[in-house]
Amino acid sequence: MNQGLEIDGKAPGGGARLAPTHAFKACAVSPFKLLQSETMAQYFKLWKKVQAGADFIITQVGFDARKYDELLRFLRHGNIRIPVLGNVYILSLPAARR
């Protein structure tokens, strides 16, 4: 899509060329795994996503600050220099009471 798109002539509206977009490609990672083997599998998949062209990373919802720190250390160690958005869900008062 970022390079433009040629619509097949047989499709509705076909034969047209769509202009290039300027979309950013995100990828997700869940560093909030219990076992080291699970976490390393997540980091390996993340590395593959970055190699495939991800422009930024979004974490799954989590509440463990140490795991966020671990993710940032992994990125620095692997020289992966793309932005990371930490996904934090704020609980409603009734949910937090439970």
Side-chain angles (χ1 to χ4, degrees), residues 9 14 17 34-35 42 46 50 63 76 78 80 84 97-98:
R17 175 146 180 86
L34 184 61
L35 300 177
Q42 285 290 311
L46 173 63
V50 170
F63 302 96
R76 271 188 240 119
I80 298 173
V84 180
R97 283 188 181 137
R98 264 187 253 151

Side-chain angles (χ1 to χ4, degrees), residues 47 51 72-81:
W47 181 81
Q51 295 301 312
L72 294 175
R73 288 172 187 264
F74 169 79
L75 295 173
R76 271 188 240 119
H77 181 74
N79 202 27
I80 298 173
R81 298 178 184 266

Side-chain angles (χ1 to χ4, degrees), residues 2-78:
N2 283 349
Q3 298 169 358
L5 184 64
E6 187 78 36
I7 299 177
D8 187 342
K10 299 173 191 167
R17 175 146 180 86
L18 301 178
T21 63
H22 300 288
F24 288 100
K25 300 168 298 297
C27 68
V29 65
S30 179
F32 309 105
K33 299 295 184 184
L34 184 61
L35 300 177
Q36 180 182 7
S37 59
E38 295 171 326
T39 304
M40 292 311 294
Q42 285 290 311
Y43 291 162
F44 177 67
K45 289 190 283 185
L46 173 63
W47 181 81
K48 288 178 17 177
K49 293 172 186 178
V50 170
Q51 295 301 312
D55 294 314
F56 65 100
I57 301 165
I58 301 173
T59 67
Q60 296 290 345
V61 174
F63 302 96
D64 189 344
R66 288 187 178 109
K67 288 294 192 171
Y68 281 119
D69 180 62
E70 181 182 90
L71 172 61
L72 294 175
R73 288 172 187 264
F74 169 79
L75 295 173
R76 271 188 240 119
H77 181 74

